Amino acid sequence: MLAIGLVLNTLGVGLFCWAIFALAVYALPFFVALSIGMTAFQNGAGVFSAMLIGTAGGVLTLAVGQAAVAITRSLTLRIAIATAFAVPAAVAGYQVAFALSQIGMPSLAWREILACLGAVCVGGTTWTRLTAFAEPRPLELAGLVENPSHPVLPVATREG
């Protein structure tokens, strides 16, 4: 029985950690949706209407953020948008890692170290997932590519 409990606990913690990393990108849209929904409810909207308005706000935030990162050519703007999504995810990762480290760590210093490591990992994952759809244009940004339709390194052809 003890072995089954240990295996199931390990699987549960692993599933929980997978969910944290998979849902980290949605920390900012969730916060926006929750804020808009609560504001709508406090201003007289019904429960269903407030949930609908909040969901629409969160979806719009995510769609606009991902589209802006993918479309914009300014590296500074991309960094700013990705940071706006990564910071709330890093804060959430810190809180989750700190809460999980309280289970088995008696030392406060080690809990803080693990929580900071969790924040960096979750924030980095969010940054990577958000910028995954952005087309990298390092040569185009520097003004080195005059005709982007031709490949930078042409393929060698074999004559024969």
Side-chain angles (χ1 to χ4, degrees), residues 82-102:
T83 302
F85 276 80
V87 168
V91 171
Y94 174 86
Q95 295 296 329
V96 169
F98 188 76
L100 286 177
S101 68
Q102 287 179 347

Side-chain angles (χ1 to χ4, degrees), residues 95-108 111-112 114:
Q95 295 296 329
V96 169
F98 188 76
L100 286 177
S101 68
Q102 287 179 347
I103 294 171
M105 288 282 173
S107 171
L108 181 62
R111 281 188 261 164
E112 289 291 333
L114 286 176

Side-chain angles (χ1 to χ4, degrees), residues 75-94:
L75 183 62
T76 307
L77 189 58
R78 281 187 186 178
I79 290 172
I81 294 168
T83 302
F85 276 80
V87 168
V91 171
Y94 174 86

Side-chain angles (χ1 to χ4, degrees), residues 50-148:
M51 287 175 35
L52 189 64
I53 292 169
T55 302
V59 167
L60 186 65
T61 301
L62 180 64
V64 168
Q66 286 181 338
V69 167
I71 292 172
T72 187
R73 292 179 176 244
S74 170
L75 183 62
T76 307
L77 189 58
R78 281 187 186 178
I79 290 172
I81 294 168
T83 302
F85 276 80
V87 168
V91 171
Y94 174 86
Q95 295 296 329
V96 169
F98 188 76
L100 286 177
S101 68
Q102 287 179 347
I103 294 171
M105 288 282 173
S107 171
L108 181 62
W110 280 108
R111 281 188 261 164
E112 289 291 333
I113 290 170
L114 286 176
C116 290
L117 184 64
V120 168
C121 290
V122 172
T125 300
T126 301
W127 182 289
T128 303
R129 286 181 183 225
L130 185 68
T131 58
F133 295 115
E135 182 181 325
R137 301 179 189 129
L139 297 175
E140 205 172 295
L141 289 173
L144 298 176
V145 177
E146 295 173 2
N147 190 357

